[in-house]
Amino acid sequence: MRNIALLGATGSIGESTLNLLRQHPNWGRCQILSAHHNQVKLLALVKEFKPEYAILTGGKVSLDHIEECKKYDCQLLEGREALLELLDSQVLDTVLLAVSGAAGLEYGLKSLEGGARLAIANKEPLVIAGHLFKDMETRGKGCILPVDSEHSAIFQCLIGHEPKDVSKLILTSSGGPFHYREGSFEDVSVEEALQHPTWSMGSKITIDSATMMNKALEMVEAKWLFDVPLDQVSVTVHRQSIVHSMVEFVDGSMMAQMGVTDMQFPILYALSYPERWLSELPRLSFEERMNLTFEPVNPFLCQAIELIREYGDDPASMVLLNAANEVYVEAFLKRQVPFHKVYEHIRQVISEGQSGLSSLQSLSEVLELDAEGRKISSSIIKQV
Ligand code: NDP
Ligand code: MG
């Protein structure tokens, strides 16, 4: 039984986690639940899961809701600071970080500092501050467990192997809705970009999957999680999303992890590790013909991968890339910018942001550059 702080409880990963706990209350109890704006859903979750604390990080909580939560022995709090304080003061067994975007950075580091088992779905903080996470993991008592399906797959394939045994990590990608698109990407609509072929996820990661920026971020995530150089991380498009990723070893042998396309699997493994818990999650069936295909990335979308090949080893560029991407995706969802210019925009923000380059040794330097990247990105978008 895990004591769980579920940060981002109202989102897609939050929902998958709570689904597991609904079916298996003996696997864990919710100690803390957080949401950003969705107070109504948070309140419903308080009633169902009865956490000790519920926190709304991005808005004001109403007095009525505070009173309502008291009936369930739950304290309803508001604000980012309140959550950071809780992560600091509570003894936490497991923190499942399912917030979206770089906003999860401080929560993740604080959880590790406190010695928690950090089950991390939220990839952006690892992309912009992977070195701080690894440093905190080495210094403290906490540990990082991947929840992103590709990284969970690699983590499982690597068990029992030494870093020197590994020659390549191969991330699989569904290819998103535009894998077979030829010609122009100029008129891609928000609705088309939100049509993911295999996974149902939050809107930011769904757009990232359409631009392949999700896979680009995942390459950097893999570099930090598994301490593998980026030139040993590659990507293949696997439309069926059944092989979740692969590892090639120095002797040429390969291992792959497979399973039904459902985020509950990697979430469950991050909760149960190093054990495996008996579940009734759906199984793959081999009674019918099943084709597994592997293809190269669409040449236009490959620009996302090229950005990482070019800038992935420069921490400052990764902060700027992530900030530019987050701002651009938000603007795209509001129909303020076209789909196809995201890569060009990211390049521009990386190049304009380099002047204020800092060494990025500390969290405050990362946050400062992140804010600078967002400022540059927004001002470029306003000029369009
Ligand atoms: P969603 O958009 O569905 O949910 C995001 C959650 O975070 C919500 O609870 C939201 O609260 C909260 N949130 C949003 N902004 C902030 C903020 N600034 N500060 C604190 N909390 C915030 O996202 P997903 O669940 O799809 O993704 C979460 C993370 O997991 C992302 O980093 C994504 O890349 C990663 N991931 C997701 C996968 C998936 O299948 N969805 C697969 C692999 C990785 P509210 O509802 O109140 O706005
Ligand atoms: Mg993934």
Side-chain angles (χ1 to χ4, degrees), residues 174-327:
S174 72
F178 305 127
H179 176 61
Y180 292 119
R181 193 174 177 114
E182 288 173 359
S184 169
F185 280 72
E186 277 179 33
D187 53 356
V188 166
S189 69
V190 171
E191 290 71 23
E192 284 175 301
L194 283 173
Q195 289 297 318
H196 196 277
T198 47
W199 296 97
S200 155
M201 312 178 281
S203 56
K204 197 268 176 177
I205 184 176
T206 305
I207 299 301
D208 283 349
S209 301
T211 59
M212 281 300 252
M213 282 308 295
N214 181 48
K215 215 45 60 180
L217 300 176
E218 287 181 355
M219 291 168 74
V220 186
E221 183 184 10
K223 162 187 142 154
W224 288 115
L225 284 174
F226 307 115
D227 198 16
V228 167
L230 272 175
D231 59 8
Q232 290 175 28
V233 181
S234 67
V235 173
T236 182
V237 171
H238 166 53
R239 296 295 280 168
Q240 299 80 20
S241 299
I242 283 175
V243 173
H244 297 305
S245 275
M246 298 175 270
V247 175
E248 183 193 278
F249 294 96
V250 286
D251 59 2
S253 186
M254 297 187 73
M255 286 185 77
Q257 187 266 343
M258 298 166 66
V260 171
T261 315
D262 186 335
M263 284 307 293
Q264 290 182 100
F265 285 100
I267 294 168
L268 169 57
Y269 192 61
L271 292 179
S272 73
Y273 175 83
E275 296 171 15
R276 287 200 182 262
W277 293 344
L278 178 67
S279 90
E280 273 148 33
L281 290 173
R283 269 45 175 173
L284 282 178
S285 159
F286 294 91
E287 263 142 50
E288 310 244 318
R289 184 192 175 95
M290 173 166 54
N291 289 323
L292 300 180
T293 57
F294 299 92
E295 304 166 47
V297 177
N298 174 297
F300 181 82
L301 304 174
C302 215
Q303 291 182 77
I305 312 297
E306 283 156 17
L307 279 167
I308 300 304
R309 296 268 174 251
E310 218 171 310
Y311 296 108
D313 280 321
D314 175 38
S317 296
M318 286 304 93
V319 176
L320 294 166
L321 169 140
N322 182 69
N325 186 51
E326 283 194 33
V327 173

Side-chain angles (χ1 to χ4, degrees), residues 123 148-150 214-215 218:
K123 64 196 78 180
D148 210 350
S149 58
E150 296 76 1
N214 181 48
K215 215 45 60 180
E218 287 181 355

Side-chain angles (χ1 to χ4, degrees), residues 2-13:
R2 306 259 177 233
N3 263 322
I4 303 167
L6 176 56
L7 313 187
T10 47
S12 157
I13 293 284

Side-chain angles (χ1 to χ4, degrees), residues 154-173:
I154 291 169
F155 183 70
Q156 294 179 55
C157 293
L158 287 176
I159 288 172
H161 296 281
E162 304 274 323
K164 67 172 176 46
D165 301 338
V166 175
S167 62
K168 210 163 157 192
L169 306 181
I170 300 130
L171 300 174
T172 53
S173 160

